[in-house]
Amino acid sequence: SFVKHLCTVCIEEQFYLIWPNLLQHLQRRRLIIFLLAAIVVATVYRMVLIFGYWPNASRVYQNTFARMDCFAIGGVLACVLHGRKILLPAALRAILAGTAFGMLWAVGYSPSVYDAATALWGYPVATLACTLLLLCFLSIPAPTRVGSLLRVLSYLGKISYGLYMWHLPVLGLTWYFATSDDALGFNT
């Protein structure tokens, strides 16, 4: 389906409903404990969905509770860094960025978004990789963060939702027309 990926928008919207309430009602320490528990619960739940009575790895992709560890990891980072300035040496940032890109490559090399291995370890590894990249970017000294790189990243942020919405239909249609001998009706 060309719209199957839109279930992640539902997960995102559920996050927007829950996150402000958590911030309002929990102190930072309790929030971090709650988020760490959410990581554990999501991991266990994901394992149950994959290896349980009716194993189906594709259900993980579309399930808020099985994916909440991704949001919880970002929430822990936000809680830990809130109000703090971090400066990491350039060499450490390079190591972290290289590690993150290696992690993303490993996840991208997996055969499918819906297979059991990707559902079990791929989503959390991709989240940790993005967290490392975010940490690298946030630890760059402020004067060097400005300029053309920031403008490019800002532009990508503005169009990222549209890119996400259209990437699967465009890729699917491209694959269909590129691999089908009769896609344009020439062989009729």
Side-chain angles (χ1 to χ4, degrees):
S1 169
F2 291 126
V3 294
K4 190 171 190 174
H5 67 296
L6 297 181
C7 65
T8 61
V9 176
C10 296
I11 294 171
E12 180 183 356
E13 295 305 320
Q14 291 169 7
F15 166 78
Y16 291 141
L17 288 172
I18 294 169
W19 184 248
N21 290 312
L22 290 176
L23 290 177
Q24 185 177 11
H25 298 312
L26 295 177
Q27 297 172 345
R28 184 182 297 180
R29 180 181 163 97
R30 288 185 181 196
L31 180 59
I32 291 173
I33 292 169
F34 176 84
L35 293 171
L36 293 173
I39 293 169
V40 172
V41 168
T43 303
V44 170
Y45 185 62
R46 193 167 39 246
M47 291 173 72
V48 168
L49 286 176
I50 294 169
F51 302 115
Y53 294 112
W54 300 282
N56 185 347
S58 67
R59 287 190 291 171
V60 172
Y61 182 74
Q62 302 163 342
N63 191 301
T64 300
F65 297 109
R67 301 289 301 276
M68 71 180 161
D69 58 328
C70 300
F71 292 106
I73 290 169
V76 169
L77 181 67
C79 289
V80 169
L81 296 182
H82 181 73
R84 295 183 174 94
K85 290 184 179 182
I86 53 166
L87 293 175
L88 299 176
L92 180 57
R93 287 194 313 267
I95 291 169
L96 292 175
T99 302
F101 284 120
M103 293 165 70
L104 289 171
W105 177 83
V107 172
Y109 195 74
S110 64
S112 169
V113 164
Y114 302 111
D115 73 346
T118 303
L120 184 60
W121 67 268
Y123 302 146
V125 168
T127 301
L128 289 173
C130 292
T131 303
L132 287 177
L133 288 175
L134 185 60
L135 187 61
C136 290
F137 183 73
L138 291 175
S139 65
I140 297 173
T144 59
R145 267 194 265 170
V146 296
S148 61
L149 176 63
L150 188 57
R151 284 191 293 276
V152 168
L153 291 175
S154 177
Y155 175 73
L156 287 175
K158 290 177 183 174
I159 66 167
S160 65
Y161 185 75
L163 291 175
Y164 177 74
M165 295 296 285
W166 285 101
H167 84 282
L168 195 57
V170 168
L171 289 175
L173 289 172
T174 302
W175 179 259
Y176 174 75
F177 286 116
T179 60
S180 175
D181 291 336
D182 199 26
L184 298 176
F186 294 130
N187 295 330
T188 57

